[in-house]
PDB file of all heavy atoms in Angstrom:
ATOM      1  N   GLU A 167      30.213  -5.161   3.310  1.00 66.00           N
ATOM      2  CA  GLU A 167      31.051  -4.302   2.390  1.00 66.00           C
ATOM      3  C   GLU A 167      32.353  -3.905   2.996  1.00 66.00           C
ATOM      4  O   GLU A 167      32.947  -2.926   2.577  1.00 66.00           O
ATOM      5  CB  GLU A 167      30.253  -3.103   1.983  1.00 66.00           C
ATOM      6  CG  GLU A 167      28.880  -3.308   1.529  1.00 66.00           C
ATOM      7  CD  GLU A 167      28.826  -4.009   0.150  1.00 66.00           C
ATOM      8  OE1 GLU A 167      29.579  -3.752  -0.742  1.00 66.00           O
ATOM      9  OE2 GLU A 167      28.037  -5.031   0.046  1.00 66.00           O
ATOM     10  N   ARG A 211      25.991   3.041   6.686  1.00 95.00           N
ATOM     11  CA  ARG A 211      27.296   3.084   6.524  1.00 95.00           C
ATOM     12  C   ARG A 211      27.874   4.183   7.441  1.00 95.00           C
ATOM     13  O   ARG A 211      27.469   5.364   7.388  1.00 95.00           O
ATOM     14  CB  ARG A 211      27.741   3.505   5.104  1.00 95.00           C
ATOM     15  CG  ARG A 211      27.025   2.640   4.039  1.00 95.00           C
ATOM     16  CD  ARG A 211      27.952   1.465   3.636  1.00 95.00           C
ATOM     17  NE  ARG A 211      27.278   0.550   2.718  1.00 95.00           N
ATOM     18  CZ  ARG A 211      27.414   0.475   1.402  1.00 95.00           C
ATOM     19  NH1 ARG A 211      28.398   1.337   0.823  1.00 95.00           N
ATOM     20  NH2 ARG A 211      26.780  -0.332   0.649  1.00 95.00           N
ATOM     21  N   GLU A 213      30.084   6.448   7.581  1.00 91.00           N
ATOM     22  CA  GLU A 213      30.996   7.224   6.719  1.00 91.00           C
ATOM     23  C   GLU A 213      31.598   8.238   7.696  1.00 91.00           C
ATOM     24  O   GLU A 213      30.906   9.015   8.357  1.00 91.00           O
ATOM     25  CB  GLU A 213      30.272   7.921   5.632  1.00 91.00           C
ATOM     26  CG  GLU A 213      29.386   7.150   4.672  1.00 91.00           C
ATOM     27  CD  GLU A 213      30.177   6.345   3.688  1.00 91.00           C
ATOM     28  OE1 GLU A 213      31.463   6.447   3.624  1.00 91.00           O
ATOM     29  OE2 GLU A 213      29.623   5.511   2.948  1.00 91.00           O
ATOM     30  N   ARG A 219      27.831  13.608  -1.264  1.00 95.00           N
ATOM     31  CA  ARG A 219      27.334  12.389  -1.858  1.00 95.00           C
ATOM     32  C   ARG A 219      27.059  11.241  -0.914  1.00 95.00           C
ATOM     33  O   ARG A 219      26.574  10.154  -1.332  1.00 95.00           O
ATOM     34  CB  ARG A 219      28.413  11.890  -2.886  1.00 95.00           C
ATOM     35  CG  ARG A 219      28.678  12.699  -4.072  1.00 95.00           C
ATOM     36  CD  ARG A 219      29.673  12.100  -5.052  1.00 95.00           C
ATOM     37  NE  ARG A 219      30.963  11.824  -4.390  1.00 95.00           N
ATOM     38  CZ  ARG A 219      31.501  10.671  -4.226  1.00 95.00           C
ATOM     39  NH1 ARG A 219      30.928   9.560  -4.695  1.00 95.00           N
ATOM     40  NH2 ARG A 219      32.734  10.499  -3.723  1.00 95.00           N
ATOM     41  N   HIS A 220      27.377  11.405   0.347  1.00 96.00           N
ATOM     42  CA  HIS A 220      27.298  10.301   1.277  1.00 96.00           C
ATOM     43  C   HIS A 220      26.295  10.651   2.425  1.00 96.00           C
ATOM     44  O   HIS A 220      26.328  11.784   2.919  1.00 96.00           O
ATOM     45  CB  HIS A 220      28.685   9.961   1.840  1.00 96.00           C
ATOM     46  CG  HIS A 220      29.592   9.312   0.915  1.00 96.00           C
ATOM     47  ND1 HIS A 220      30.472  10.074   0.261  1.00 96.00           N
ATOM     48  CD2 HIS A 220      29.735   8.067   0.441  1.00 96.00           C
ATOM     49  CE1 HIS A 220      31.201   9.328  -0.606  1.00 96.00           C
ATOM     50  NE2 HIS A 220      30.719   8.078  -0.434  1.00 96.00           N
ATOM     51  N   LEU A 221      25.560   9.600   2.754  1.00 97.00           N
ATOM     52  CA  LEU A 221      24.734   9.625   3.982  1.00 97.00           C
ATOM     53  C   LEU A 221      25.054   8.474   4.877  1.00 97.00           C
ATOM     54  O   LEU A 221      25.596   7.543   4.356  1.00 97.00           O
ATOM     55  CB  LEU A 221      23.240   9.472   3.568  1.00 97.00           C
ATOM     56  CG  LEU A 221      22.627  10.578   2.690  1.00 97.00           C
ATOM     57  CD1 LEU A 221      21.359  10.044   2.068  1.00 97.00           C
ATOM     58  CD2 LEU A 221      22.259  11.789   3.573  1.00 97.00           C
ATOM     59  N   PHE A 224      20.997   5.481   3.919  1.00 98.00           N
ATOM     60  CA  PHE A 224      20.503   5.797   2.613  1.00 98.00           C
ATOM     61  C   PHE A 224      19.488   4.664   2.186  1.00 98.00           C
ATOM     62  O   PHE A 224      19.388   3.603   2.772  1.00 98.00           O
ATOM     63  CB  PHE A 224      21.523   6.041   1.563  1.00 98.00           C
ATOM     64  CG  PHE A 224      22.428   4.788   1.195  1.00 98.00           C
ATOM     65  CD1 PHE A 224      22.114   3.998   0.171  1.00 98.00           C
ATOM     66  CD2 PHE A 224      23.516   4.457   1.986  1.00 98.00           C
ATOM     67  CE1 PHE A 224      22.904   2.884  -0.157  1.00 98.00           C
ATOM     68  CE2 PHE A 224      24.289   3.484   1.674  1.00 98.00           C
ATOM     69  CZ  PHE A 224      23.947   2.584   0.591  1.00 98.00           C
ATOM     70  N   GLU A 352      28.915   7.828  -9.226  1.00 96.00           N
ATOM     71  CA  GLU A 352      28.414   6.465  -9.149  1.00 96.00           C
ATOM     72  C   GLU A 352      26.996   6.351  -8.543  1.00 96.00           C
ATOM     73  O   GLU A 352      26.743   7.003  -7.509  1.00 96.00           O
ATOM     74  CB  GLU A 352      29.421   5.719  -8.302  1.00 96.00           C
ATOM     75  CG  GLU A 352      29.044   4.273  -8.144  1.00 96.00           C
ATOM     76  CD  GLU A 352      29.720   3.585  -6.954  1.00 96.00           C
ATOM     77  OE1 GLU A 352      30.887   3.857  -6.696  1.00 96.00           O
ATOM     78  OE2 GLU A 352      29.086   2.697  -6.330  1.00 96.00           O
ATOM     79  N   ILE A 353      26.148   5.610  -9.203  1.00 97.00           N
ATOM     80  CA  ILE A 353      24.770   5.431  -8.689  1.00 97.00           C
ATOM     81  C   ILE A 353      24.566   4.057  -8.196  1.00 97.00           C
ATOM     82  O   ILE A 353      23.803   3.758  -7.346  1.00 97.00           O
ATOM     83  CB  ILE A 353      23.805   5.719  -9.841  1.00 97.00           C
ATOM     84  CG1 ILE A 353      24.075   7.052 -10.492  1.00 97.00           C
ATOM     85  CG2 ILE A 353      22.398   5.801  -9.283  1.00 97.00           C
ATOM     86  CD1 ILE A 353      23.402   7.167 -11.819  1.00 97.00           C
ATOM     87  N   THR A 354      25.207   3.074  -8.950  1.00 98.00           N
ATOM     88  CA  THR A 354      24.966   1.655  -8.596  1.00 98.00           C
ATOM     89  C   THR A 354      26.217   0.832  -8.762  1.00 98.00           C
ATOM     90  O   THR A 354      27.037   1.123  -9.652  1.00 98.00           O
ATOM     91  CB  THR A 354      23.920   1.073  -9.695  1.00 98.00           C
ATOM     92  OG1 THR A 354      22.899   1.937  -9.834  1.00 98.00           O
ATOM     93  CG2 THR A 354      23.375  -0.272  -9.243  1.00 98.00           C
ATOM     94  N   SER A 355      26.324  -0.140  -7.909  1.00 98.00           N
ATOM     95  CA  SER A 355      27.318  -1.190  -8.053  1.00 98.00           C
ATOM     96  C   SER A 355      26.672  -2.553  -8.220  1.00 98.00           C
ATOM     97  O   SER A 355      25.692  -2.780  -7.617  1.00 98.00           O
ATOM     98  CB  SER A 355      28.133  -1.312  -6.740  1.00 98.00           C
ATOM     99  OG  SER A 355      29.247  -0.527  -6.790  1.00 98.00           O
ATOM    100  N   GLY A 398      23.060  -2.982  -6.423  1.00 98.00           N
ATOM    101  CA  GLY A 398      22.542  -2.130  -5.316  1.00 98.00           C
ATOM    102  C   GLY A 398      22.535  -0.672  -5.773  1.00 98.00           C
ATOM    103  O   GLY A 398      23.641  -0.172  -6.196  1.00 98.00           O
ATOM    104  N   LEU A 399      21.392  -0.067  -5.897  1.00 98.00           N
ATOM    105  CA  LEU A 399      21.312   1.289  -6.376  1.00 98.00           C
ATOM    106  C   LEU A 399      20.986   2.209  -5.214  1.00 98.00           C
ATOM    107  O   LEU A 399      20.088   1.984  -4.479  1.00 98.00           O
ATOM    108  CB  LEU A 399      20.238   1.306  -7.503  1.00 98.00           C
ATOM    109  CG  LEU A 399      19.792   2.622  -8.060  1.00 98.00           C
ATOM    110  CD1 LEU A 399      19.357   2.468  -9.414  1.00 98.00           C
ATOM    111  CD2 LEU A 399      18.621   3.299  -7.267  1.00 98.00           C
ATOM    112  N   GLY A 400      21.745   3.357  -5.083  1.00 98.00           N
ATOM    113  CA  GLY A 400      21.424   4.340  -4.130  1.00 98.00           C
ATOM    114  C   GLY A 400      20.342   5.327  -4.613  1.00 98.00           C
ATOM    115  O   GLY A 400      20.533   6.095  -5.595  1.00 98.00           O
ATOM    116  N   ARG A 403      21.098   8.935  -4.528  1.00 98.00           N
ATOM    117  CA  ARG A 403      22.040   9.315  -5.507  1.00 98.00           C
ATOM    118  C   ARG A 403      21.333   9.533  -6.880  1.00 98.00           C
ATOM    119  O   ARG A 403      21.680  10.447  -7.719  1.00 98.00           O
ATOM    120  CB  ARG A 403      23.136   8.223  -5.744  1.00 98.00           C
ATOM    121  CG  ARG A 403      24.123   8.158  -4.646  1.00 98.00           C
ATOM    122  CD  ARG A 403      25.416   8.818  -4.983  1.00 98.00           C
ATOM    123  NE  ARG A 403      26.339   8.784  -3.845  1.00 98.00           N
ATOM    124  CZ  ARG A 403      27.349   7.893  -3.783  1.00 98.00           C
ATOM    125  NH1 ARG A 403      27.606   7.153  -4.779  1.00 98.00           N
ATOM    126  NH2 ARG A 403      28.033   7.882  -2.670  1.00 98.00           N
ATOM    127  N   ILE A 414      23.248  15.531  -1.535  1.00 98.00           N
ATOM    128  CA  ILE A 414      22.323  14.303  -1.356  1.00 98.00           C
ATOM    129  C   ILE A 414      21.301  14.490  -0.305  1.00 98.00           C
ATOM    130  O   ILE A 414      20.246  13.886  -0.300  1.00 98.00           O
ATOM    131  CB  ILE A 414      23.219  13.034  -1.165  1.00 98.00           C
ATOM    132  CG1 ILE A 414      22.394  11.820  -1.417  1.00 98.00           C
ATOM    133  CG2 ILE A 414      23.875  13.026   0.185  1.00 98.00           C
ATOM    134  CD1 ILE A 414      23.157  10.552  -1.535  1.00 98.00           C
TER     135      ILE A 414
HETATM  136  P1  ATP B 501      31.078   5.324  -2.993  1.00 65.24           P
HETATM  137  O1  ATP B 501      32.406   4.871  -3.660  1.00 65.24           O
HETATM  138  O2  ATP B 501      30.395   6.408  -3.808  1.00 65.24           O
HETATM  139  O3  ATP B 501      31.289   5.743  -1.571  1.00 65.24           O
HETATM  140  P2  ATP B 501      30.540   2.590  -2.555  1.00 65.24           P
HETATM  141  O4  ATP B 501      31.390   2.004  -3.670  1.00 65.24           O
HETATM  142  O5  ATP B 501      30.900   2.480  -1.216  1.00 65.24           O
HETATM  143  O6  ATP B 501      30.148   4.129  -3.010  1.00 65.24           O
HETATM  144  P3  ATP B 501      28.597   0.514  -2.875  1.00 65.24           P
HETATM  145  O7  ATP B 501      28.967  -0.238  -1.680  1.00 65.24           O
HETATM  146  O8  ATP B 501      28.973   0.001  -4.221  1.00 65.24           O
HETATM  147  O9  ATP B 501      29.087   2.070  -2.765  1.00 65.24           O
HETATM  148  O10 ATP B 501      27.016   0.778  -2.820  1.00 65.24           O
HETATM  149  C1  ATP B 501      26.181   0.722  -3.902  1.00 65.24           C
HETATM  150  C2  ATP B 501      25.478   1.990  -4.133  1.00 65.24           C
HETATM  151  O11 ATP B 501      24.854   2.585  -2.873  1.00 65.24           O
HETATM  152  C3  ATP B 501      26.324   3.252  -4.606  1.00 65.24           C
HETATM  153  O12 ATP B 501      26.504   3.196  -5.946  1.00 65.24           O
HETATM  154  C4  ATP B 501      25.656   4.428  -4.109  1.00 65.24           C
HETATM  155  O13 ATP B 501      24.528   4.778  -5.107  1.00 65.24           O
HETATM  156  C5  ATP B 501      24.913   3.968  -2.860  1.00 65.24           C
HETATM  157  N1  ATP B 501      25.715   4.376  -1.659  1.00 65.24           N
HETATM  158  C6  ATP B 501      26.764   3.765  -1.093  1.00 65.24           C
HETATM  159  N2  ATP B 501      27.197   4.407  -0.019  1.00 65.24           N
HETATM  160  C7  ATP B 501      26.419   5.445   0.063  1.00 65.24           C
HETATM  161  C8  ATP B 501      26.274   6.491   1.047  1.00 65.24           C
HETATM  162  N3  ATP B 501      27.072   6.535   2.072  1.00 65.24           N
HETATM  163  N4  ATP B 501      25.352   7.419   0.944  1.00 65.24           N
HETATM  164  C9  ATP B 501      24.468   7.362  -0.098  1.00 65.24           C
HETATM  165  N5  ATP B 501      24.429   6.473  -1.063  1.00 65.24           N
HETATM  166  C10 ATP B 501      25.397   5.464  -0.996  1.00 65.24           C
END
Side-chain angles (χ1 to χ4, degrees):
E167 308 297 315
R211 307 267 173 104
E213 309 281 0
R219 296 182 298 120
H220 291 93
L221 294 162
F224 65 94
E352 176 196 326
I353 312 161
T354 315
S355 270
L399 172 149
R403 286 260 179 105
I414 195 165

